[in-house]
Amino acid sequence: MDLEKPPVRPPHPEGCLTVAIRVPVRIVVLVLVVPVRMAWDALTAAGRLLSRTVLRPLGRSLRWLGRALFVLPFVALWRWVVVPAGKALGWLGHVLVVVPARWLYRYVLTPLGHGLARAARAIGAALGWLYARVLAPVGRGIAWLLKGAGLLLAAAGAGVFAALAWLGRYLLVVPARWLYAWVLAPVGRALAWLVSALVTGVGAVLYWTARLTVVLPALALWRWVLVPVGRVLAVVARETGEALRHAWRIAGRISRAVGRVLAALLRWILVDPVRRLHRTVLVPAGHALRKHVLRPAAEAARVAGRTVRQALAAARETVRQARADLRRTLLGEPVPPAPVDRREPAGRGTRTLERSTTALTKD
């Protein structure tokens, strides 16, 4: 089943102003952008070369130097000074603080606390007896008296409140309601109507004044001045942006071509001769130097080192034997340690049921 292709829309027609602005703007922008793009590409290549040949090795050297000067001394200080000092301080704190505090808690504070707890329980029992036998009956009598007095006062207060409520109703509420219904409400409605009419008239006058003096001139300025100028500026800005993008792309191609030419010249003038010199002169010379000088020197150094190590080992063994002979001459033979009876069998025979060799079942 063939899919139908969507219809191709015709290009949007461009005005004469757009066509007249496009060509000179692109020419001017291309002339201005090409040096900038070439300088940018040169700086980018120089930055990459600098980063690869200088900054990265310098960073590795600084990292190694910082590790050697700061990290390793602090690690050694922590491992060989701070940690032993901390352990010593912890032991001193345990001996000087924890052990005395534990002894004080166990032999002083705990018995004292038990005594205070017993005294508190005795005082609580006495207070409970006093509350149950003395204070509670007295409190109940006082509460009964206060309840009776409260009932009398409540009855008297209810009568007085009812009398005052009746007087207030007929002396204040009824006259105030009549005054509001027949005097204040009609006067308020009349004043509200007058204020509404005055505000409506003033609002209408201000609306038409503002419309004629501000809105209509601003609308005319927007429609006949700002909109056409904005359209022209939008065309200029769009064409300038298009010209910048087009010029930047073309300048990149030009800069790339110039870079290829310079790279080829540099390779022909410097890199190829140096590579040829390295391949035909330095590499054979290095191989010959390694084969005829460095390897024999390294082998001789290894043999000399092996001989020196053997001589040092023989000297150490001689010194050790001389020290042992001197110790035996001055102090005599060392006394062998006394055998200790561990109630274990001396032989290496296998333990069986017929032959018991343990400490508990040994005959």
Side-chain angles (χ1 to χ4, degrees):
M1 181 178 179
D2 296 335
L3 298 176
E4 295 182 357
K5 296 182 179 179
V8 180
R9 295 182 180 179
H12 185 71
E14 298 178 347
C16 58
L17 180 62
T18 303
V19 177
I21 291 174
R22 179 177 300 166
V23 176
V25 167
R26 287 194 176 184
I27 294 173
V28 173
V29 169
L30 180 62
V31 172
L32 295 176
V33 167
V34 168
V36 176
R37 180 58 187 266
M38 294 183 68
W40 174 261
D41 291 340
L43 289 175
T44 303
R48 290 175 182 173
L49 179 63
L50 182 65
S51 174
R52 187 169 57 252
T53 58
V54 178
L55 296 180
R56 290 181 184 177
L58 181 62
R60 296 190 188 98
S61 303
L62 291 177
R63 182 177 62 184
W64 180 85
L65 183 62
R67 179 178 175 84
L69 293 179
F70 296 103
V71 178
L72 294 180
F74 281 111
V75 170
L77 179 66
W78 172 263
R79 182 176 297 172
W80 303 108
V81 178
V82 176
V83 172
K87 291 180 179 178
L89 291 177
W91 181 80
L92 288 176
H94 180 76
V95 172
L96 298 178
V97 178
V98 177
V99 173
R102 187 182 299 169
W103 181 86
L104 179 65
Y105 172 77
R106 181 177 298 173
Y107 296 104
V108 178
L109 297 180
T110 300
L112 182 61
H114 290 331
L116 292 176
R118 292 191 186 94
R121 283 197 295 271
I123 294 171
L127 292 177
W129 180 86
L130 180 64
Y131 173 78
R133 302 298 180 181
V134 179
L135 297 179
V138 174
R140 293 191 189 97
I142 294 173
W144 183 78
L145 291 176
L146 292 177
K147 184 177 182 180
L151 290 175
L152 292 176
L153 291 176
V160 172
F161 179 75
L164 292 176
W166 184 82
L167 290 175
R169 177 180 176 82
Y170 287 101
L171 293 178
L172 295 176
V173 177
V174 173
R177 185 182 295 175
W178 180 86
L179 179 64
Y180 174 77
W182 299 101
V183 179
L184 298 178
V187 172
R189 294 190 187 97
L191 289 176
W193 182 81
L194 290 175
V195 171
S196 177
L198 181 62
V199 170
T200 303
V202 172
V205 171
L206 292 176
Y207 169 74
W208 284 105
T209 302
R211 181 178 178 83
L212 293 176
T213 56
V214 178
V215 176
L216 293 179
L219 184 62
L221 179 65
W222 171 262
R223 182 176 297 173
W224 302 106
V225 177
L226 296 180
V227 172
V229 173
R231 289 174 181 172
V232 173
L233 292 178
V235 171
V236 172
R238 186 179 67 249
E239 291 301 325
T240 303
E242 292 290 335
L244 283 173
R245 187 167 61 249
H246 184 70
W248 187 261
R249 187 169 59 252
I250 294 175
R253 294 178 181 176
I254 295 173
S255 176
R256 196 176 299 115
V258 173
R260 290 196 186 98
V261 171
L262 293 177
L265 290 176
L266 182 64
R267 186 174 63 252
W268 294 339
I269 294 173
L270 182 62
V271 176
D272 287 344
V274 171
R275 184 183 298 171
R276 200 172 294 110
L277 176 65
H278 177 268
R279 184 181 301 170
T280 58
V281 177
L282 297 180
V283 172
H287 290 171
L289 179 65
R290 182 177 60 186
K291 181 177 180 182
H292 298 288
V293 178
L294 296 181
R295 285 182 179 175
E299 186 65 27
R302 283 196 294 270
V303 172
R306 191 178 303 114
T307 304
V308 170
R309 285 195 298 271
Q310 292 175 358
L312 291 176
R316 282 197 298 269
E317 185 64 26
T318 304
V319 171
R320 188 179 300 111
Q321 293 294 333
R323 188 169 59 247
D325 294 339
L326 180 62
R327 186 185 301 112
R328 283 195 298 269
T329 303
L330 295 177
L331 302 177
E333 292 292 335
V335 179
V340 179
D341 186 9
R342 300 182 180 272
R343 299 183 64 82
E344 289 290 334
R348 295 184 179 181
T350 304
R351 296 179 181 180
T352 60
L353 293 177
E354 292 81 6
R355 182 187 177 193
S356 177
T357 56
T358 61
L360 297 178
T361 60
K362 185 176 181 181
D363 295 335

